[in-house]
Amino acid sequence: MSPTWSAGRFQLDLGRPLVMGIVNVTPDSFSDGGAHADPGAAIRHAQTLVEAGADILDVGGESTRPGSLPLPQDAEWARIGPVLQEVVRWGVPISVDTYKPRTMRLALDLGVDIINDIDALRMPGAEDAVASSSAGICLMHMQGEPQTMQQQPHYADVVREVGDFLRARADAMLALGVPASRICIDPGFGFGKTLGHNLELARHLDEIVAHGYPVLVGVSRKSMIGGSSGRPVQERLAGSLAAALACVAAGARIVRVHDVAATVDALKVWTAVRG
């Protein structure tokens, strides 16, 4: 694995785990109930995350929680465009959470550094939208689509199948001339997976890491935390930190989280104990 992730304006040092702070510019997020749906509120929240120690900001305008419906591209851009125009000036790596090629192009034109795609650039036009840029690319595994993905997820071998999919998507980007140093992979916890599938992936995350690309994980406040702890969304901080540290111990290099300050502290202590 490369010691850095090449992401637009930045060469991100992966010598320590990086914290990606979530900025949901949505009225229907599962985790924050639309607390930052207004662009002004989202910008203030983003500033709070940077002050708390976020290494990367991940801005998204469409909820992809289980059962969610697709959002028209114009509506997505109306939500995130004003936020991106502001935060891209801060000197912090900016990621856009989208699977829509036109949104990708508009965001890249503004100077964002990372395209974080739950659909692994499979939508027609998505590969072309990013291949010729210098942006970092995060390819995520998802079985199905958000509207139906949790109805009957099924795998013969979830670790192997997720790993094979991510390797194939990375190979597709390499074939387009994208250097490996720009590619990051995400096993997609909670996206078309039962609690058992999620736990199996977490137990064997080292097999995903072994594919040779930086691994990003998003476990913060998700149903796998609730399923393991019995806690509602608002009470999943401790469980989220435990899961994030377990994934980092298995080799994950980026953790995508809601609770940046607590995660930064947990990683500092974990790193100190590890020496």
Side-chain angles (χ1 to χ4, degrees):
M1 184 184 74
S2 171
T4 61
W5 183 19
S6 182
R9 299 166 293 171
F10 300 89
Q11 294 293 319
L12 298 175
D13 183 0
L14 300 176
R16 65 170 177 84
L18 302 182
V19 176
M20 175 184 276
I22 299 170
V23 182
N24 285 323
V25 197
T26 61
D28 53 351
S29 167
F30 87 92
S31 60
D32 54 32
H36 314 119
D38 170 77
I43 290 167
R44 290 190 293 273
H45 179 60
Q47 184 64 53
T48 299
L49 297 184
V50 172
E51 293 170 355
D55 299 292
I56 304 165
L57 293 177
D58 188 46
V59 180
E62 176 177 345
S63 174
T64 51
R65 72 192 190 286
S68 60
L69 297 173
L71 183 72
Q73 191 276 331
D74 288 347
E76 180 185 43
W77 187 251
R79 292 177 181 178
I80 67 173
V83 178
L84 294 175
Q85 287 176 340
E86 171 61 24
V87 300
V88 80
R89 303 187 295 110
W90 292 359
V92 176
I94 303 300
S95 168
V96 174
D97 180 2
T98 186
Y99 57 87
K100 298 181 178 69
R102 183 161 176 260
T103 299
M104 295 175 189
R105 292 184 186 277
L106 291 171
L108 291 168
D109 287 345
L110 281 180
V112 304
D113 305 289
I114 297 164
I115 299 297
N116 181 18
D117 184 2
I118 63 169
D119 200 39
L121 300 178
R122 288 181 295 170
M123 181 170 281
E127 291 181 343
D128 291 339
V130 249
S132 61
S133 74
S134 62
I137 298 167
C138 187
L139 305 168
M140 196 194 81
H141 175 275
M142 173 174 60
Q143 187 179 90
E145 56 187 27
Q147 188 175 358
T148 59
M149 63 187 180
Q150 290 304 108
Q151 290 181 2
Q152 289 184 315
H154 174 77
Y155 301 86
D157 183 334
V158 66
V159 179
R160 178 182 57 78
E161 290 172 48
V162 169
D164 287 350
F165 170 86
L166 293 172
R167 186 177 63 247
R169 293 306 301 144
D171 286 348
M173 297 313 297
L174 295 175
L176 291 174
V178 175
S181 60
R182 285 176 51 198
I183 299 172
C184 172
I185 58 176
D186 178 350
F189 288 105
F191 284 81
K193 299 169 184 75
T194 65
L195 174 59
H197 295 145
N198 289 320
L199 294 177
E200 186 72 4
L201 272 173
R203 292 186 191 109
H204 298 281
L205 191 64
D206 59 320
E207 295 182 33
I208 305 297
V209 172
H211 288 291
Y213 297 98
V215 171
L216 180 151
V217 295
V219 293
S220 180
R221 303 183 186 177
K222 286 188 174 177
S223 62
M224 65 179 286
I225 308 300
S228 301
S229 67
R231 297 288 186 179
V233 171
Q234 299 84 357
E235 299 176 14
R236 293 178 184 171
L237 174 58
S240 296
L241 294 175
L245 291 178
C247 289
V248 168
R253 302 318 293 158
I254 306 105
V255 289
R256 182 179 181 272
V257 304
H258 301 87
D259 303 289
V260 167
T263 306
V264 168
D265 284 352
L267 287 171
K268 284 179 179 176
V269 174
W270 180 85
T271 301
V273 170
R274 297 265 296 187

